[in-house]
Amino acid sequence: MESTRTGFGHALLEIAQEREDILVTSADTYRSFALGEFVERFPDRYFEFGIAEQCMITASAGMASEGYTVFSVGYSPFLSMRAVEQIRTFCAYTNQNVKIVAGLGGLSGDTDGVTHQGTEDISMIRAIPNMMLVSPADSVAARAMTKMIADIRTPVYLRLGRGATPIIYDEDQTFELGKALTARDYGTDAAILATGYCVGEAMKAADALKEQGVGVRVLDFHTIKPFDTEAALKACADCGNIVVVEDGSIYGGLAGAVAETFVENGAAPKKFKRLGLTTFGTTGTVPQLAEFFGLDRKALEKTVKDMIG
Amino acid sequence: MNEEIRKLYRTAYGLRKDAVDMVYHARTGHAAPCLSEADILTALYFHVMNLDPANPHWADRDRFVLSKGHASPLYYAVLARRGYFPPEDLMEYRGLNTKLQGHPDMKKCPGVDFTTGSLGNGLAGALGMALIGKKDKKDYRVFAVCGDGELDEGIIWEAATYAGNEHLGRLIVFVDNNGLQSGGAVEKIQDLGDIAARFEACKWHAQTIDGHDMEAILDAVAEAEKVTDKPSVIVAKTIKGKGVSFMEGQYLWHMKAPNDEQYAIACEELERKVKEYE
Ligand SMILES: Cc1ncc(C[n+]2csc(CCOP(=O)(O)OP(=O)(O)O)c2C)c(N)n1
Ligand SMILES: [Mg+2]
């Protein structure tokens, strides 16, 4: 178990040792991103704005316009919503090299409740041109993808969690930006398309279903934008039964991206089910909320069985 | 010290104990931020405010907004001890889909006048209530408590400017000036300079007091009441973690639950304080 924020923090420290253009901006949040050592070792490359997310984002765009690579850390609801105009107009429209690093993505704000849950972040950020949207499923993915996004010079939203979550990938797992990862490939009875925390639940569901003679493919959409149209269409053609699961709004979320892709390409799934939020979140631990909102292993198992039933 | 003041101190330490109980029980939450605001909330809810806990939406009640919404456990304890819901419910804090959400929720928790948790917004909510009070010629007062780190947010100063220009004499705001925020000292993160002077520049009446001196808190409210043509800020110098020795002045206790051993010490210290004021 490890937080995706820890994976990010460790990767950034490694990159910063090699590259002097790497800066961190923080809204009283560096402590939550395992950046203590970065701050200690590179005090002149760390800018603390205080609790002032909007100012931080536009100032980060200003820094990026001077040629730097800026990693701006904060919490998903306060970045994807409170500072969304700053992200859209000053980072995305201007195509600045700002990496918006958002902890507390989706329901991971857990017992803090709705104010701290970024359950609309995918929908908000997907709508913005030029933005890449990356949503790693575990700490291994977060570490690898932090390094990858540091190498591109355009704006990225990195959607992270909060608490420690299961490690689902081996240390040597490779990732390719923009290409969904096949996390399980047990057959073509159904495919589960997932992102973030829900990928681990989907893998557990696939393992359990395999025992029961049901073969499921699991795709990890660690990059939501650009969207891997090919993998989604292939899952539809191969498996027919499609379940999309995410710990945030299905309106405009991963489910929205999948549905749009299917309709636009004339792909007709046999059955199509969206698991995610249609309401606000509430207070609870992540496993409690996953069960409450029907996003956990059990809900996925049942959904697949009902589909093929 | 008169009996009323003694009683208020006793209540405040009892509420601190409730808050620590809740954070310990939930295994997470903001203990230290509760302990600095305890005397202010106690003074307001157990002495100053016009309320009817049996009728939480009573139109003429005084309003309260906890703009630093993360310090909810103490607020919930206040509401429970004041009769808005049974104190037994306090251990629901942060439980699944509870009325006692991690941050105060006006649609879920009886007695909560405004939803908070996203810092900075509470003051603007209070501004809205005060503007309506003025427009509709109501007598209710609007109280709010802000954190000092929270004053980093731009919306605070947008709200402060409007309130000053509207001469909202019934808006009384405390700044829980404990000198610490999440990542360390306020002064180090972004030095705010003279907080009282900043509000004065926005046409507010400002006072600076010891936020753990119950008489000073009551006097400051009385003083603020006399100023009818300006909103009032009361900059309350406080200690983050006040009342629990190992939390006092420690920013690392901003959001953290005590372990068994620490919890035992905290209970012992707070209970001793309650006794001291009997
Ligand atoms: C808009 C927003 N940004 C960040 C946070 C996360 N956060 C919660 S408490 C806190 C520090 C608050 O410090 P202060 O206002 O001084 O409160 P206190 O010291 O009384 O706890 C932060 C950054 C938040 N709740 N809202
Ligand atoms: Mg403070």
Side-chain angles (χ1 to χ4, degrees):
Chain A
M1 301 275 278
E2 188 168 84
S3 169
T4 50
R5 298 191 301 184
T6 309
F8 157 77
H10 290 170
L12 197 69
L13 185 64
E14 283 178 42
I15 305 162
Q17 291 171 28
E18 285 155 24
R19 282 177 48 182
E20 290 191 352
D21 66 310
I22 301 284
L23 309 181
V24 167
T25 56
S26 151
D28 196 12
T29 34
Y30 83 88
R31 231 169 30 94
S32 353
F33 287 86
L35 290 172
E37 201 178 332
F38 180 100
V39 169
E40 234 167 70
R41 293 184 49 188
F42 310 111
D44 63 328
R45 289 202 259 148
Y46 154 68
F47 299 83
E48 179 53 71
F49 284 77
I51 312 165
E53 294 82 3
Q54 296 170 319
C55 175
M56 172 181 77
I57 296 295
T58 304
S60 297
M63 293 170 159
S65 75
E66 297 291 334
Y68 283 91
T69 302
V70 187
F71 282 80
S72 198
V73 303
Y75 297 160
S76 173
F78 311 133
L79 298 179
S80 72
M81 291 186 283
R82 193 190 198 111
V84 72
E85 191 219 351
Q86 284 76 12
I87 292 175
R88 169 192 174 266
T89 306
F90 302 100
C91 299
Y93 178 48
T94 54
N95 216 15
Q96 293 299 323
N97 189 8
V98 180
K99 316 303 176 196
I100 316 286
V101 182
L104 278 61
L107 287 169
S108 70
D110 57 37
T111 65
D112 271 338
V114 172
T115 54
H116 285 58
Q117 294 168 347
T119 46
E120 295 82 9
D121 52 2
I122 295 177
S123 323
M124 303 290 294
I125 300 300
R126 257 192 75 219
I128 302 175
N130 289 350
M131 289 296 297
M132 176 180 275
L133 172 49
V134 174
S135 164
D138 76 350
S139 183
V140 171
R143 177 179 306 190
M145 303 197 78
T146 298
K147 293 181 179 167
M148 293 160 77
I149 62 172
D151 287 337
I152 56 176
R153 306 219 31 99
T154 47
V156 178
Y157 190 90
L158 178 63
R159 182 186 196 250
L160 300 177
R162 168 151 74 189
T165 48
I167 301 277
I168 59 174
Y169 292 123
D170 293 335
E171 281 294 328
D172 57 3
Q173 175 70 50
T174 55
F175 302 86
E176 192 184 340
L177 287 174
K179 287 271 170 272
L181 184 105
T182 307
R184 289 285 186 268
D185 207 359
Y186 293 148
T188 54
D189 292 322
I192 303 175
L193 282 48
T195 193
Y197 171 80
C198 294
V199 174
E201 293 300 302
M203 285 160 76
K204 282 189 240 163
D207 292 347
L209 285 162
K210 188 183 173 203
E211 299 292 307
Q212 301 161 49
V214 180
V216 173
R217 178 181 301 173
V218 174
L219 292 181
D220 172 0
F221 279 83
H222 51 66
T223 313
I224 293 174
K225 198 180 173 193
F227 186 71
D228 188 349
T229 305
E230 205 185 312
L233 291 177
K234 188 159 185 324
C236 184
D238 293 350
C239 308
N241 294 311
I242 302 291
V243 183
V244 187
V245 62
E246 58 199 310
D247 66 343
S249 175
I250 62 172
Y251 304 124
L254 177 62
V258 173
E260 290 158 18
T261 301
F262 285 176
V263 175
E264 209 161 39
N265 290 279
K270 253 189 286 178
K271 285 186 181 154
F272 183 69
K273 192 90 189 146
R274 299 174 294 173
L275 305 186
L277 266 62
T278 54
T279 63
F280 284 105
T282 185
T283 288
T285 63
V286 168
Q288 278 175 339
L289 294 173
E291 186 184 347
F292 186 78
F293 289 108
L295 316 172
D296 63 347
R297 192 203 80 186
K298 283 204 193 107
L300 283 162
E301 256 186 80
K302 184 174 182 311
T303 305
V304 169
K305 279 202 240 165
D306 288 351
M307 263 183 169
I308 62 173
Chain B
M1 184 184 305
N2 72 37
E3 183 43 37
E4 175 64 7
I5 297 291
R6 185 183 295 279
K7 202 177 112 197
L8 289 172
Y9 278 120
R10 194 160 67 231
T11 304
Y13 278 105
L15 293 165
R16 285 183 171 97
K17 166 77 168 54
D18 285 334
V20 170
D21 282 347
M22 292 162 74
V23 172
Y24 170 73
H25 189 261
R27 299 185 175 283
T28 177
H30 300 81
C34 288
L35 303 182
S36 61
E37 73 186 9
D39 296 309
I40 299 164
L41 266 72
T42 302
L44 292 177
Y45 270 89
F46 291 83
H47 189 93
V48 172
M49 288 170 66
N50 252 329
L51 300 164
D52 179 7
N55 185 8
H57 296 291
W58 172 42
D60 292 328
R61 74 191 184 286
D62 287 335
R63 273 61 166 171
F64 177 79
V65 179
L66 184 65
S67 199
K68 46 167 276 189
H70 55 283
S72 57
L74 192 116
Y75 184 26
Y76 294 148
V78 163
L79 295 174
R81 300 290 172 195
R82 199 66 175 74
Y84 285 90
F85 53 85
E88 300 85 81
D89 295 358
L90 287 175
M91 294 308 136
E92 286 177 15
Y93 169 61
R94 285 182 183 257
L96 179 63
N97 205 21
T98 166
K99 64 177 171 293
L100 306 186
Q101 297 269 308
H103 293 77
D105 188 317
M106 65 196 277
K107 292 293 177 189
K108 292 198 165 97
C109 184
V112 171
D113 289 321
F114 201 70
T115 294
T116 54
S118 165
L119 291 170
N121 288 292
L123 184 60
L127 164 67
M129 295 171 181
L131 285 168
I132 292 303
K134 182 180 170 189
K135 170 189 168 293
D136 291 350
K137 301 191 174 43
K138 293 281 197 179
D139 283 334
Y140 67 74
R141 299 166 292 179
V142 182
F143 294 94
V145 174
C146 294
D148 44 9
E150 184 184 9
L151 305 184
D152 292 341
E153 287 285 3
I155 190 173
I156 290 284
W157 303 104
E158 296 168 27
T161 304
Y162 196 166
N165 284 332
E166 284 294 321
H167 311 282
L168 297 178
R170 293 183 178 281
L171 177 61
I172 300 178
V173 175
F174 282 88
V175 173
D176 184 354
N177 191 193
N178 57 30
L180 297 175
Q181 53 196 88
S182 182
V186 174
E187 226 177 19
K188 237 185 83 199
I189 287 178
Q190 278 306 321
D191 188 357
L192 295 161
D194 185 338
I195 294 172
R198 281 184 167 221
F199 278 95
E200 278 167 347
C202 296
K203 305 181 202 168
W204 287 51
H205 176 259
Q207 303 174 70
T208 300
I209 62 163
D210 172 353
H212 298 305
D213 178 338
M214 205 55 87
E215 280 167 281
I217 296 170
L218 298 181
D219 288 348
V221 172
E223 189 63 32
E225 302 254 84
K226 286 190 214 147
V227 184
T228 56
D229 60 342
K230 283 179 179 180
S232 270
V233 66
I234 299 168
V235 179
K237 298 281 177 197
T238 55
I239 295 168
K240 198 150 171 166
K242 169 77 176 173
V244 175
S245 55
F246 57 88
M247 291 188 193
E248 286 192 2
Q250 300 298 324
Y251 76 90
L252 291 174
W253 277 99
H254 174 70
M255 185 191 195
K256 185 172 158 178
N259 64 26
D260 294 352
E261 202 180 312
Q262 292 161 333
Y263 175 64
I265 297 170
C267 290
E268 200 263 318
E269 291 181 357
L270 292 171
E271 278 159 5
R272 184 151 26 91
K273 278 293 192 183
V274 172
K275 282 220 182 71
E276 210 176 281
Y277 287 102
E278 262 166 15

